[in-house]
Amino acid sequence: MTVPSGAAVGFPITRLRRLRYLPAMRGLVRAVHLQPQSLVYPLFVRHGRGIKQEIASMPGQFQWSLDRLEEELAGLAGLGLGGVMLFGIPATKDATGSEAYDEEGIVAQAVRLARRVAPELLVITDVCCCEYTDHGHCGILAERGDRCDVDNDATLELLARQAVCHARAGAHMVAPSGMMDGMVAAIRRGLDAAGLSDVPIMSYAAKYASAFYGPFREAAESAPQRGDRRGYQMDPAAPAGQALREVELDLAEGADLVMVKPALAYLDIIRLVAERFPGVPLAAYNVSGEYSMVKGAAARGWLDERSVVLEMLTGIVRAGAQIVLTYWAKQVVHWLQP
Ligand code: PBG
């Protein structure tokens, strides 16, 4: 006898609405559960004192100076979040982004602060050059005849130094986001040589050249001064399988977790990576533009923010992401409380 699948039986025996009438019944058969410990909250830190400067294109998100960040971290500590992701705005920018690997750089200081005031909070740092370079690109620039491009291999050394700097300051995990070939291997080697072999790497493995990063570039003051990032970030119209190659290579280089970014226009990529690499923790970045467009519509009364956000995050998790980086992390914790 074959076991009947739900699909084999039709109406009127099968009535899918039976499981939808009661809230408790819907709850019972739910498969996707948002939980605070799967959410990572991005934070922007800068030098100075008394600064909690709202980012115009991201209402409710701020650039923090360390003294104000301290209060924020203390408030975050008890929420049960998966962690925070730190982005730094340096005091000065130069061609090689030297503050990025300075022990007194803003991120290193913020990491030490976080470890002191919120010891139970997982601290992740973004490892990239774009916030630190005066030209705003994710690596060192090389002039190549008629084009000006990021020098992949020369950038690797800087990324490794930055990761080591963050990990020495106490970062629990580093997250390279520059889409340089070989970045994970270079960082792994750097960390291991520094005696930091226990620090995992979350690679922004499949990161697309996206217009949805617009508001972030205001937040992190990291817009490229000329050109764009299409020479290193992925083409949205590339074959989906290219994302699998990126993930595969990063894993071979020693990535412990991988990320797909942005999330909403790339749910197919999330699903593909989740299915192909079921044993690898997968994160998705619900990026700044995804935040701003909902905020903008909600402010005009066009959308109900809470419902829309919970639905979007549910979709990202249902697609296969276990971890979601989102500017709503803090608010979601409150929304999820019964
Ligand atoms: C740095 C970086 C970016 C984001 C995360 N890390 C910007 C970019 O690549 O231009 C975007 C995050 C967001 O939009 O929320 N390379």
Side-chain angles (χ1 to χ4, degrees):
M1 201 188 96
T2 54
V3 181
S5 76
V9 184
F11 178 82
I13 294 176
T14 305
R15 289 177 182 270
L16 294 180
R17 289 186 57 207
R18 276 186 204 121
L19 301 183
R20 294 181 194 147
Y21 290 111
L22 299 173
M25 192 72 78
R26 291 195 295 272
L28 179 71
V29 300
R30 214 160 263 161
V32 175
H33 300 277
L34 296 176
Q35 42 176 10
Q37 69 193 41
S38 308
L39 303 177
V40 174
Y41 189 38
L43 289 166
F44 301 97
V45 293
R46 67 175 312 145
H47 295 277
R49 286 196 66 77
I51 300 170
K52 180 185 174 185
Q53 167 81 39
E54 189 162 20
I55 298 150
S57 56
M58 299 177 73
Q61 303 302 313
F62 304 88
Q63 292 181 342
W64 304 88
S65 60
L66 293 174
D67 54 332
R68 301 298 300 273
L69 182 71
E70 183 166 347
E71 307 155 20
E72 179 69 2
L73 288 167
L76 291 173
L79 295 182
L81 286 173
V84 291
M85 169 78 96
L86 298 178
F87 293 94
I89 298 131
T92 53
K93 302 183 185 232
D94 58 31
T96 59
S98 34
E99 194 185 310
Y101 44 88
D102 181 343
E103 262 176 56
E104 292 310 315
I106 188 63
V107 168
Q109 290 192 48
V111 169
R112 288 193 291 270
L113 174 73
R115 294 299 308 272
R116 183 165 56 75
V117 302
E120 59 284 39
L121 191 64
L122 196 84
V123 180
I124 313 169
T125 60
D126 183 85
V127 173
C128 192
C129 298
C130 64
E131 297 105 289
Y132 304 93
T133 50
D134 50 13
H135 44 72
H137 277 284
C138 299
I140 297 177
L141 284 192
E143 296 291 342
R144 289 210 181 84
D146 59 343
R147 74 192 168 102
C148 167
D149 198 3
V150 170
D151 184 336
N152 190 90
D153 298 12
T155 301
L156 299 180
E157 163 69 19
L158 293 181
L159 295 176
R161 285 173 74 175
Q162 189 182 354
V164 168
C165 166
H166 293 173
R168 277 200 181 123
H172 294 107
M173 178 149 78
V174 292
S177 66
M179 286 301 284
M180 294 300 122
D181 288 323
M183 67 182 184
V184 174
I187 289 171
R188 186 71 272 156
R189 265 198 308 276
L191 290 171
D192 291 357
L196 296 160
S197 57
D198 293 342
V199 176
I201 300 173
M202 173 161 74
S203 178
Y204 290 66
K207 175 173 176 181
Y208 287 85
S210 173
F212 285 101
Y213 307 150
F216 172 94
R217 292 178 189 169
E218 182 202 331
E221 300 179 7
S222 66
Q225 297 305 303
R226 62 190 164 121
D228 55 45
R229 303 205 203 291
R230 286 182 289 191
Y232 38 102
Q233 298 179 349
M234 291 171 69
D235 181 357
Q242 193 184 100
L244 295 177
R245 297 187 70 195
E246 287 283 359
V247 168
E248 202 167 20
L249 285 167
D250 282 5
L251 291 172
E253 290 177 27
D256 300 280
L257 295 81
V258 294
M259 193 197 299
V260 171
K261 178 187 170 190
L264 292 178
Y266 301 87
L267 294 173
D268 59 327
I269 305 296
I270 295 173
R271 166 55 63 91
L272 205 60
V273 173
E275 282 182 350
R276 187 67 68 86
F277 301 99
V280 179
L282 175 60
Y285 202 138
N286 177 211
V287 300
S288 58
E290 298 169 342
Y291 177 83
S292 302
M293 63 187 184
V294 173
K295 280 287 185 184
R300 286 162 183 77
W302 293 347
L303 284 177
D304 177 54
E305 183 179 0
R306 179 181 184 277
S307 317
V308 164
V309 171
L310 294 177
E311 185 176 335
M312 284 190 336
L313 297 179
T314 297
I316 295 168
V317 173
R318 195 184 59 239
Q322 284 152 264
I323 301 159
V324 186
L325 292 94
T326 179
Y327 300 99
W328 279 291
K330 211 166 85 171
Q331 239 176 321
V332 169
V333 175
H334 295 295
W335 286 336
L336 291 178
Q337 268 156 15

